[in-house]
Amino acid sequence: MSTLILHLPTARPGPATEYSYTLTADGHTALRHATAPAALLPEPTRPGGEVVAVVPARLLSWQRVQLPPGLPLGPGQQTPRLRSVLEGLLEDRVLDDATQLHFALQPDAQAGAPLWVAVCDRTWLRENLQALEAAGRRVSRVVPEFAPGPTASGGPELCALGTPEEAYVVLTGQGPDLGVAVVPLTPVALALAQAGTPAAGPAGAADPAADDTLPVRAEPAVAALAERTLGQRIALHTSSQRALDAARGDWDLAQFDLASTGRTRALRKAGSAVSTALYAPQWRAARWGAGLLVVAHLVGLNALAWSERKALAAKQAGVRSTLTQTFPQVQVVVDAPVQMERELALLRQAAGSVSARDLEPLLAAAGAALPDGQLPSAIEYTPGELRLRGVALSPDEEATIAGRLQAAGYRARMDDGSLLLRAEGTP
């Protein structure tokens, strides 16, 4: 399953609004990165692909709250009551009217425990999602550009973004109670991040081995400015790499009135799992192993089939050899069992003997099995089959006669008011 990742613009959408996008097949490598209007955005290249929208860090605020126990928080359980509780808890912390804001709870949130709430402008987010849906790009998931939680380095990290005229830094991984901070690109940003870095040992003494150098990443446009301002080397981190990192996260800001249905979430989760297994680099060894296992099974099955065909051909050759050796006059073998039965019938006829398929044995078997007083009104005979008309039998008598005749090598049943006998092997 491929994924189209869109960076939502900071302004409300309009006819000329363009979206920066990244197209990926495995969630780890970008196939294409460009900017286009909503109507010209590419579609996911594989069936079941999803569209992910990324909310810029500057448009999100992060609030740490603790909800009362007993509130349902799971997907599909976010009721208006929960929304009212969040508005009451956050109305004194946000500058805008809480009723005009969109709230999203952290993944696996539990009532009674501290949790993160992402806050953004509801009208701006809804209008962007509606514009994309009108262009045929329905968003499956909305994710934050940066989210609270542990970083790859295990400590605080800085990411310089923007343009040289309007550069800023995003601070993440500063601790369980500090979310995502967006500050101007100044030396103060580095000082803020270093303030959250532990540099003392267990006894409070300075650790001489501690490294005060924090991981700093930057977009190419502000990389040189970040090096000069922060006084250290930085690693380049493009917007497409940032989009891939955000899309792999657990967050989904499409909650409450923007939430997807349970069926959509289940399909998206299944599709993501399949896509990860089929295309993600970390599953490459497993895919190779599965492929080799399939090849080994195919080779083994073909070898077994070849052995079975060889054994069957040997048996068929033995039957043909038996026929031609027993009856040298047979020159062409088409169906050895049928031809052998025909030759045996000719031998019996020439010797004046009868077989179980002839009229006399059939009549003798029927006479021995029929009850006293049961005489047929008509007899019809074809090789291997005898029909006695005018015989009336009760179900018990029919079962008894069938058992007797089966012991003698015949099958018997009532058919259209007559008793039908067939020799075993007669079609």
Side-chain angles (χ1 to χ4, degrees):
M1 181 180 71
S2 62
T3 304
L4 175 65
I5 309 172
L6 307 174
H7 276 282
L8 297 181
T10 56
R12 288 188 175 182
T17 300
E18 292 190 342
Y19 295 85
S20 174
Y21 70 86
T22 298
L23 190 64
T24 176
D26 57 10
H28 295 264
T29 305
L31 298 177
R32 193 190 318 168
H33 177 75
T35 302
L40 300 180
L41 289 171
E43 295 185 11
T45 56
R46 289 187 176 87
E50 67 172 351
V51 179
V52 177
V54 179
V55 178
R58 288 186 294 177
L59 298 188
L60 279 174
S61 67
W62 299 91
Q63 304 294 333
R64 190 76 163 168
V65 301
Q66 183 168 332
L67 297 176
L71 282 175
L73 305 181
Q77 299 178 322
Q78 295 172 341
T79 61
R81 177 169 173 257
L82 174 59
R83 166 83 193 189
S84 300
V85 172
L86 287 173
E87 290 179 0
L89 291 173
L90 298 176
E91 63 180 350
D92 295 332
R93 305 189 194 180
V94 295
L95 299 177
D96 297 324
D97 184 0
T99 60
Q100 304 300 318
L101 299 175
H102 175 71
F103 302 130
L105 306 180
Q106 73 178 47
D108 302 323
Q110 295 182 358
L115 56 88
W116 285 107
V117 179
V119 184
C120 69
D121 184 88
R122 182 196 290 183
T123 303
W124 166 83
L125 180 58
R126 183 186 295 276
E127 289 181 355
N128 272 285
L129 297 182
Q130 289 175 345
L132 291 170
E133 184 172 358
R137 304 297 183 270
R138 182 179 179 86
V139 175
S140 305
R141 195 157 49 99
V142 182
V143 299
E145 188 176 25
F146 295 91
T151 61
S153 64
E157 291 185 359
L158 291 84
C159 188
L161 307 174
T163 62
E165 296 78 17
E166 192 179 356
Y168 60 96
V169 172
V170 179
L171 289 77
T172 56
Q174 301 180 90
D177 296 326
L178 297 176
V180 178
V182 180
V183 296
L185 178 55
T186 62
V188 176
L190 183 61
L192 287 174
Q194 289 176 333
T197 304
D207 184 359
D211 186 2
D212 293 337
T213 302
L214 295 179
V216 180
R217 298 176 296 175
E219 284 187 325
V222 295
L225 177 61
E227 284 192 349
R228 291 196 304 269
T229 302
L230 302 179
Q232 67 179 70
R233 297 189 61 83
I234 57 94
L236 292 179
H237 195 63
T238 64
S239 59
S240 62
Q241 292 173 320
R242 197 164 66 253
L244 293 171
D245 292 342
R248 288 197 300 269
D250 297 330
W251 276 86
D252 187 0
L253 305 183
Q255 299 181 24
F256 292 99
D257 55 331
L258 301 180
S260 303
T261 63
R263 180 174 180 272
T264 301
R265 289 192 298 270
L267 291 176
R268 184 174 66 233
K269 186 175 181 180
S272 299
V274 172
S275 176
T276 301
L278 291 179
Y279 304 105
Q282 64 266 30
W283 286 90
R284 184 175 293 114
R287 291 194 296 270
W288 274 102
L292 291 175
L293 184 63
V294 170
V295 170
H297 275 77
L298 289 176
V299 171
L301 288 174
N302 278 281
L304 180 62
W306 175 81
S307 177
E308 293 293 331
R309 285 195 300 269
K310 186 176 180 181
L312 179 60
K315 291 180 180 180
Q316 291 174 341
V319 173
R320 289 194 297 269
S321 176
T322 301
L323 173 62
T324 54
Q325 290 177 4
T326 306
F327 303 101
Q329 68 274 19
V330 178
Q331 300 297 322
V332 178
V333 179
V334 179
D335 190 336
V338 174
Q339 290 175 277
M340 186 173 292
E341 185 176 357
R342 186 182 302 118
E343 293 297 328
L344 289 173
L346 292 175
L347 286 177
R348 284 195 297 269
Q349 184 177 3
S353 61
V354 294
S355 69
R357 296 167 51 85
D358 293 331
L359 176 60
E360 292 85 351
L362 283 168
L363 286 174
L370 285 173
D372 295 339
Q374 286 285 355
L375 298 177
S377 60
I379 297 176
E380 297 177 4
Y381 168 76
T382 56
E385 182 178 295
L386 180 67
R387 183 182 293 273
L388 304 177
R389 296 191 178 276
V391 176
L393 298 175
S394 65
D396 293 340
E397 291 176 332
E398 181 182 352
T400 302
I401 291 175
R404 293 175 181 174
L405 291 173
Q406 186 176 8
Y410 297 95
R411 291 172 292 158
R413 62 182 175 87
M414 295 300 295
D415 180 59
D416 193 21
S418 60
L419 181 62
L420 182 64
L421 280 74
R422 285 180 178 171
E424 292 291 347
T426 302

